[in-house]
Each structure stands twice: as C-alpha cells, then as structure tokens.
Amino acid sequence: MVEKPLNIAVGLSGGVDSSVAALLLKRAGHNVIAIFMQNWHDTDGTLHGECEWEEERTVAQLVAKKIGIPFYFVDLSETYRKRVVDYMFSEYAHGRTPNPDVLCNREIKFDAFLKYALELGADYVATGHYCKKEQFTDESGKTVYRILAGDDKNKDQSYFLCQLSQEQLSRAIFPIGGISKPQVREIARQAGLPSAEKKDSQGICFVGKVDLPLFLQQKLRPRQGNVVEIFRDFYNSRPAFHLETGICESYSSDELETLSTPVTYTPQCGKVIGRHNGVQYYTVGQRHGLNIGGHKESIFIISLDLPSNTIYVGEGQSHPGLYRKALKIESQDIHWIRPDMEMAPGESRDALVRIRYRQPLQKARLFRLCEGMYIVFDMPQRSITPGQFAVWYTADGNEEMTGSGVIYR
C-alpha cells in the first residue's frame, strides 16, 4: 500500500491497456474510479457500421467489476464533434492531413474528461498510454513535468501527447509506461480481466476504422480532378541540394525558406494518367485508393494542389518527389511541453524528431526564426505532410519530448 493514496480516475476504454492501468493503480492502494467516455454516435463511414462503443462499454463495466472499482459513464460526443471531428473536416477541406488522436488527447482526455473527473472528486487522470512522466523542482521551487518515451519502443505513444501543457501533465498518470505490451497482456490474463485478449483498437480515436473518403463525404462533396504523373527526369534540371545529407550549423533565412519549400508542379510538368474524386480525400505519401495500374512499381502521391484539384504522383518509393530535407512550422503553431526550454528567435539546437507515429527518431536541427520554426534533417525525409505534427525530443538520447508543432509545409 502507498503511504498516501491518490484519488485517480482511469479512462477505461474496454481495451487491455487501460484495464491494466486501472488494475496496477488499485493494487498499489490508490482510490481508483473508472470512467467510460462515449465520444461518437454516428456510424456513417465506419467499416463495421455498428455502435462499437456499446460493446466497449460492456467490457469496461466487466473490467471495473472484476477489479472492484466504481464505474461511471460520461457522454462527451458533442464536445468531441466540435473540437476534434469538425477540426478534421476543416483540415481536409484545406488540403491538409490532420491527426485527430493528438487533438483528442489535448481537447478531450486531458481537458473535457479531466474536468468531469475532477467533479467526481478525482485529483488525477490515468490512461493506458505507453509513455512515462517524470518531474523535478527547478531553482525557483517550481515543479516541472517531463514526458518520456515508453520503455516498449514498439508501442511508445508519447507522440500522441505532444500537445499537452504543464497544467495537464500535473494531473496525468501513465501506469504502464515502464512495461511492455506482452507484459500488459500477461498481467491481464493472470488477473482474469475480460479485456485480456481484446485486440487493439484501430482507426480514428473513438470513431474507429473508417472508409476515409466515405466518412469525409458527410461534409466534403466529391469533385473530379486529374491525376498527373511526374517522371524522374523532371528533376534532372533542378538543384539537388534539398536531398543532400548532413546538417549545417547555420543557414540564412532565405536558405531555410528554400529548403522547406516543396517543389511546385503544374500539369505541364508531367502526364495525366487518371481521375480522382477530390484532393481532400487524399494525403501526401499515400499509395492506395487511386486505382491506377500500368506501373512496374506502386505510385505514390507526392503533392496535392487544392486550387486546381490536381493530384501529382510518382512511381516507386525512391521517387525524388517523396523526399524533402526540411519543414516549416508557423510561429502560432509551435507548442512547448517544456516552456523552460523554449527557443528565442535566432537560436538553434540539435534534436531528435519524428513526423509521424512510430517513425524512428531522426537527427535534425531546430532553427527558430521570427516567422516560425524550421527543422532541417540529417537525412531527407519521406512524405512530409502538412497538417501532421512534427515532434521533437532532446538530442541527448534521454527520449524526452519537449515540443511539437503543426507542419505548415
């Protein structure tokens, strides 16, 4: 038993991760309650076409009963629609690819859900994320919270928490960050939890696996346009510096702008090879969904032009159009998990960066200018996607996540 039990609300989803998180906290002697969130009602566009949340709720109730903790239910679907789903539609409508899971954590789990938990008397919220939280006291006596990668590198989910604030972290607990997924499964089996063999959820957070074009057609109407293939010889007359390896310690603002600016294509640069139903249904790097044959290798989307409703593609994973050396984040979209480590305009520092979940950390250098943050990579990166989050960690190998930002380009 702990010396001073904490009052903790666990976001119990019906999955094995949150179930074991609740079990470990209960075993440690804390005062634990379970809260199941219903965040989505509509089944339009989902691949199962049924209300999966009803099954999830049933499993969560059985888990809570098995552990011996009170069970509560809260409907946050209206808040979720306004803060997450409407954001998704807006981003896709502007030709960008959002990450709803990141927004769900910032706006729902550690905001709307947290407020409900506090009303029930909880002081902390625990989730089944594979990440770790640490804290220290700075010279002024202020407590500073840190997010670190989980010990299971195959399941590390710190990326999804990249928009949390110090205030949110002060209320957060991640009980399974120090153990592996196989260990979590085994703990659940030994405890006889109903979720022990349950498969991991897939798709959009709380919505499930969806047919994305069909899901987006709820608000975004189809609009036919051309698919234009860009051939490799197009790049023969262009500077290749944006694909060079290595990082300079300093770049001029003009060089950073050039490095981070994608190649601009026009239909005259290539050949029309097909039609599509709207650029808003696709994303950079995508290779499925265009249904265009006649190529030895797969074709990949290398650029989306929203004004002309044109999709540009290239053949093969090594196509030059898929790779870029740098990206830009606008000033208003920079977020510091550790405000004490915030960079001032004119500063630069080495970091480890990822631009999508499960991507291995990449060596890079951050350059803070008045107009935004530029990230220059040691190696050219594949499918840098506007709307996604670039997340940076300390370069010392401690795997502490210190900030993030929405990729502008």
Side-chain angles (χ1 to χ4, degrees):
M1 297 287 289
V2 293
E3 293 183 6
K4 185 179 180 181
L6 303 175
N7 299 318
I8 305 171
V10 178
L12 199 62
S13 67
V16 67
D17 298 329
S18 61
S19 299
V20 171
L23 177 66
L24 294 178
L25 292 171
K26 177 67 174 177
R27 285 178 174 176
H30 296 296
N31 302 316
V32 183
I33 63 172
I35 306 177
F36 180 88
M37 289 177 278
Q38 180 185 356
N39 287 351
W40 193 248
H41 295 274
D42 198 348
T43 59
D44 288 347
T46 62
L47 295 183
H48 297 90
E50 58 188 26
C51 297
E52 290 187 53
W53 69 266
E54 294 178 347
E55 178 187 341
E56 300 281 356
R57 177 179 174 173
T58 299
V59 175
Q61 284 181 297
L62 292 172
V63 169
K65 184 176 181 180
K66 180 70 176 180
I67 296 173
I69 57 178
F71 180 85
Y72 296 86
F73 169 85
V74 60
D75 187 343
L76 298 174
S77 56
E78 186 60 28
T79 304
Y80 183 82
R81 179 180 291 276
K82 290 179 179 178
R83 296 195 194 178
V84 180
V85 177
D86 285 352
Y87 157 83
M88 274 183 59
F89 283 122
S90 176
E91 286 290 274
Y92 276 111
H94 289 87
R96 294 155 62 87
T97 304
N99 192 312
D101 290 342
V102 171
L103 266 291
C104 181
N105 285 311
R106 187 184 77 186
E107 301 293 331
I108 306 300
K109 291 178 184 174
F110 294 96
D111 192 295
F113 176 81
L114 172 60
K115 289 174 182 175
Y116 179 75
L118 295 178
E119 290 174 2
L120 291 178
D123 296 310
Y124 299 90
V125 161
T127 66
H129 284 100
Y130 286 86
C131 68
K132 295 188 293 186
K133 168 188 160 184
E134 294 182 355
Q135 64 188 65
F136 67 91
T137 304
D138 66 14
E139 295 179 354
S140 67
K142 180 181 178 181
T143 302
V144 178
Y145 300 94
R146 310 169 68 211
I147 302 180
L148 294 96
D151 284 356
D152 188 336
K153 301 314 174 191
N154 291 321
K155 289 293 294 182
D156 169 40
Q157 294 173 314
S158 56
Y159 177 90
F160 294 124
L161 304 173
C162 68
Q163 287 280 294
L164 296 193
S165 67
Q166 285 287 300
E167 175 63 26
Q168 290 171 312
L169 279 174
S170 72
R171 299 284 189 175
I173 296 176
F174 308 113
I176 64 171
I179 56 181
S180 69
K181 182 74 177 195
Q183 289 174 309
V184 166
R185 290 279 186 199
E186 185 58 29
I187 291 171
R189 290 189 194 102
Q190 291 183 2
L193 297 184
S195 58
E197 305 301 332
K198 199 167 183 301
K199 292 182 179 180
D200 292 345
S201 60
Q202 295 182 341
I204 301 171
C205 183
F206 291 108
V207 175
K209 203 165 185 180
V210 301
D211 179 327
L212 189 59
L214 183 60
F215 182 78
L216 293 175
Q217 282 176 28
Q218 294 177 68
K219 286 193 175 183
L220 307 180
R221 292 184 178 181
R223 188 162 65 102
Q224 288 250 321
N226 287 330
V227 178
V228 177
E229 182 172 1
I230 303 298
F231 301 99
R232 291 170 185 262
D233 57 10
F234 167 79
Y235 302 92
N236 292 343
S237 61
R238 303 183 63 84
F241 66 90
H242 64 291
L243 296 181
E244 293 175 356
T245 59
I247 307 171
C248 295
E249 289 193 4
S250 63
Y251 293 93
S252 68
S253 59
D254 288 343
E255 287 173 328
L256 289 170
E257 274 290 297
T258 300
L259 282 170
S260 64
T261 301
V263 174
T264 299
Y265 304 101
T266 66
Q268 292 71 35
C269 298
K271 176 185 177 182
V272 176
I273 61 169
R275 300 280 283 171
H276 64 83
N277 288 322
V279 297
Q280 67 270 26
Y281 304 142
Y282 299 90
T283 185
V284 172
Q286 182 175 335
R287 71 182 179 95
H288 295 294
L290 289 173
N291 299 317
I292 296 174
H295 293 76
K296 184 177 179 181
E297 298 182 71
S298 298
I299 59 170
F300 294 82
I301 295 175
I302 60 174
S303 181
L304 302 173
D305 184 13
L306 187 65
S308 69
N309 195 35
T310 304
I311 291 177
Y312 294 96
V313 300
E315 182 178 2
Q317 293 195 36
S318 61
H319 191 280
L322 282 171
Y323 292 86
R324 284 182 30 214
K325 178 72 173 174
L327 61 83
K328 179 181 180 181
I329 297 167
E330 294 194 307
S331 290
Q332 69 269 20
D333 291 326
I334 301 171
H335 171 73
W336 290 97
I337 299 165
R338 288 277 304 274
D340 57 310
M341 298 180 69
E342 183 173 350
M343 295 166 61
E347 290 186 347
S348 66
R349 73 171 63 135
D350 290 332
L352 295 173
V353 177
R354 60 168 49 108
I355 57 174
R356 64 182 62 87
Y357 175 49
R358 288 196 175 179
Q359 180 197 31
L361 289 171
Q362 305 291 307
K363 291 182 179 180
R365 191 166 182 84
L366 312 180
F367 295 87
R368 181 69 168 97
L369 273 63
C370 292
E371 56 266 35
M373 178 80 79
Y374 295 87
I375 302 179
V376 181
F377 294 92
D378 180 52
M379 299 292 293
Q381 297 298 297
R382 185 176 179 273
S383 304
I384 293 176
T385 308
Q388 289 284 289
F389 287 87
V391 179
W392 48 91
Y393 297 70
T394 53
D396 56 13
N398 288 333
E399 297 188 315
E400 178 186 359
M401 184 171 60
T402 58
S404 67
V406 181
I407 298 172
Y408 172 64
R409 63 163 190 258

